[in-house]
Amino acid sequence: MELGPSSITALADLIAPNEDSESDDDTPSNYYAKLTPANIGVSKSNSVPDKESTTNLAAKEANSNDIWGTEEVLDGAQYDDVYDTRLAPDYDIVYKQAVTSEDIFLGMGNKTPATASCEDMVITVKLPGSNFKDVNVDLTDKHLSVRSPKYKLGLHLPHPCDSKNGKAQWLSDKELLKITVQMKREYDMLNF
């Protein structure tokens, strides 16, 4: 194989293309060379504050002593007490669903063993050495608080529930509190 001057220039054109090439792939990218820590985030020169953000900022400045806004505080945070030395009791959360013979034997319903098909949440709290009269239960849509002289439980519930129609049962022989609440989730109308 013979390499002449024309083959060498053709090979050079393949390796380093001409500057007048129209392909974007041939041009080297200097984008990463221009990045600095100042490029991270929203550019302050291009951002224009809208009316809503300025009103929120003005409201926060008016209450300058507030550390958090009401939307930032979790439901049930008023029950958290780090200086309370009472023990946290053992508890268990079990999901319950109403099934019929069609669901079990024929498989005709749309029920599945998943928690998405469950209607109720049963929370059992073990309170050994406690009496029924000493137990205080407070239930909101997203938080359960159980207090006794020996125990304190502040439990954020995994699903929102109907706190107005809950049922609590004290099993004195087992010293166990059983709370049954109906869950109310956003897409329950699709599951039932």
Side-chain angles (χ1 to χ4, degrees):
M1 171 185 256
E2 191 176 315
L3 289 175
S6 62
S7 350
I8 293 177
T9 55
L11 184 60
D13 286 340
L14 284 174
I15 294 173
N18 294 336
E19 295 297 323
D20 54 342
S21 173
E22 295 180 7
S23 174
D24 289 336
D25 295 335
D26 294 339
T27 59
S29 174
N30 290 334
Y31 175 72
Y32 293 109
K34 295 178 185 175
L35 276 179
T36 64
N39 296 85
I40 298 172
V42 179
S43 172
K44 293 183 180 177
S45 61
N46 294 338
S47 64
V48 178
D50 56 22
K51 185 177 181 181
E52 184 177 320
S53 66
T54 55
T55 57
N56 288 340
L57 183 61
K60 286 185 179 179
E61 288 176 0
N63 297 330
S64 62
N65 292 336
D66 294 342
I67 297 173
W68 295 288
T70 55
E71 67 276 353
E72 296 172 324
V73 178
L74 290 174
D75 186 29
Q78 67 269 22
Y79 302 112
D80 295 338
D81 187 9
V82 292
Y83 300 112
D84 195 352
T85 59
R86 290 182 282 182
L87 298 173
D90 292 333
Y91 66 92
D92 194 20
I93 299 175
V94 178
Y95 297 97
K96 184 169 88 172
Q97 60 177 272
V99 292
T100 61
S101 58
E102 288 89 9
D103 295 325
I104 295 174
F105 298 112
L106 302 175
M108 294 174 63
N110 59 353
K111 299 276 183 161
T112 64
T115 58
S117 296
C118 297
E119 294 94 7
D120 296 330
M121 184 172 19
V122 180
I123 304 147
T124 56
V125 183
K126 298 174 186 167
L127 299 166
S130 297
N131 294 326
F132 171 68
K133 63 180 180 175
D134 296 333
V135 176
N136 183 13
V137 178
D138 187 19
L139 177 68
T140 62
D141 288 348
K142 295 182 182 180
H143 192 267
L144 171 69
S145 173
V146 178
R147 310 269 177 169
S148 74
K150 291 183 182 180
Y151 299 101
K152 171 196 74 155
L153 175 67
L155 179 65
H156 293 276
L157 299 174
H159 301 285
C161 66
D162 184 11
S163 60
K164 304 290 185 223
N165 298 319
K167 182 177 97 174
Q169 180 182 9
W170 176 255
L171 305 172
S172 58
D173 56 334
K174 298 179 182 177
E175 295 177 331
L176 188 78
L177 180 65
K178 186 176 180 181
I179 302 165
T180 305
V181 290
Q182 184 177 9
M183 294 184 289
K184 56 177 187 180
R185 294 171 288 200
E186 189 175 353
Y187 294 110
D188 273 349
M189 67 274 200
L190 299 175
N191 293 327
F192 306 115

